[in-house]
Amino acid sequence: MMKPPVPRSFTATTSLALGMLLLSACSNTPKAADWQLEAKGAMDRSVTAYLEGNTRIESAELTRARTQLSSTGRADAMAGAELLHCAARVASLVFEACAAFEALRIDAPETQRAYADYLRGQLAPTKVALLPASQQAAAGRSADDGKPLQGIDDPLSLLVAAGVLLETGKANPATITQAVDAASSQGWRRPLLAWLGVQAQRAALAGQTSEAERLQRRIKLVQNETLQPK
């Protein structure tokens, strides 16, 4: 059975938007080495599998990518892959230390160290210029900004920025709605469930019972729970 292709929005634009491509250091070479192609393909599949909720494939492809990257002895290449791995988790509202990157931090370039701090919501304002362009604007916005993610077209980049805004207490209803729409448009089950959960919780706390119930029905639909008549 053929595997479905990785969505173009991930393979064509997300790597550029995140600015942490494991291949970036070799972008001037006339032909990519086999390890580069195999590592990038494995990382693409790993991240997509994670976002779709397929833990088994995610783990297998991440292991494959790490194997290819370790053969080069390049800390920057491995660190870039680990940051992409952790960024997918922030997009899905899993906030935890990026332990695999931290083990490489001492040998990672400054841009990667800044991005790791950003993912944890701990980036110093003086370091914002080191972030990928798509994240710089979001990093400088406040909670009362009506369009905090304006200008971010790539779905994963948008979800990463939204995750950081939530982590730092700057996510407003517009942020959450944009994140839900981005995850839904790609069919990314894991972040969609996470962001719908945030919406449902906020609706319940605001006393919006009907809206909270609607969101819970949508969550069940995403979970593929068939609602049987009583």
Side-chain angles (χ1 to χ4, degrees):
M1 181 177 179
M2 290 183 64
K3 292 182 180 179
V6 178
R8 184 182 183 277
S9 60
F10 178 74
T11 57
T13 62
T14 295
S15 297
L16 294 174
L18 289 175
M20 294 297 167
L21 253 184
L22 55 102
L23 306 184
S24 60
C26 299
S27 59
N28 293 327
T29 56
K31 182 179 183 298
D34 288 345
W35 71 265
Q36 292 175 280
L37 297 174
E38 292 179 19
K40 183 182 183 301
M43 279 306 301
D44 285 353
R45 293 188 294 272
S46 176
V47 172
T48 300
Y50 177 80
L51 296 171
E52 292 175 348
N54 194 326
T55 303
R56 181 182 61 82
I57 292 178
E58 178 227 353
S59 179
E61 294 295 346
L62 181 60
T63 297
R64 185 172 291 111
R66 284 171 170 166
T67 298
Q68 291 294 327
L69 293 168
S70 66
S71 69
T72 71
R74 283 180 45 190
D76 63 329
M78 183 71 83
E82 298 300 347
L83 284 173
L84 186 55
H85 171 75
C86 292
R89 278 149 180 73
V90 171
S92 304
L93 305 186
V94 177
F95 302 120
E96 58 190 16
C98 192
F101 171 80
E102 292 303 323
L104 300 162
R105 177 185 279 269
I106 191 171
D107 295 314
E110 189 176 13
T111 52
Q112 291 182 333
R113 296 196 298 271
Y115 192 76
D117 293 342
Y118 172 69
L119 292 179
R120 297 181 65 182
Q122 298 176 354
L123 182 69
T126 56
K127 301 290 186 180
V128 170
L130 295 173
L131 294 176
S134 62
Q135 304 297 324
Q136 288 181 25
R141 286 175 179 151
S142 61
D144 58 1
D145 191 323
K147 297 180 179 179
L149 304 176
Q150 187 174 21
I152 305 179
D153 297 323
D154 173 71
L156 183 55
S157 294
L158 186 148
L159 286 167
V160 170
V164 173
L165 288 172
L166 185 69
E167 187 178 20
T168 55
K170 296 179 181 179
N172 58 28
T175 304
I176 299 168
T177 297
Q178 284 181 275
V180 167
D181 291 346
S184 176
S185 70
Q186 299 300 303
W188 289 340
R189 191 186 307 271
R190 195 184 300 269
L192 179 56
L193 286 171
W195 285 101
L196 284 173
V198 172
Q199 271 192 328
Q201 182 181 46
R202 291 196 174 193
L205 289 173
Q208 300 170 347
T209 305
S210 296
E211 176 64 5
E213 291 175 349
R214 182 190 71 81
L215 289 165
Q216 287 297 336
R217 290 194 298 272
R218 189 174 180 187
I219 287 171
K220 288 184 178 181
L221 181 63
V222 177
Q223 293 171 329
N224 201 24
E225 295 182 11
T226 303
L227 301 179
Q228 299 292 344
K230 294 182 179 180

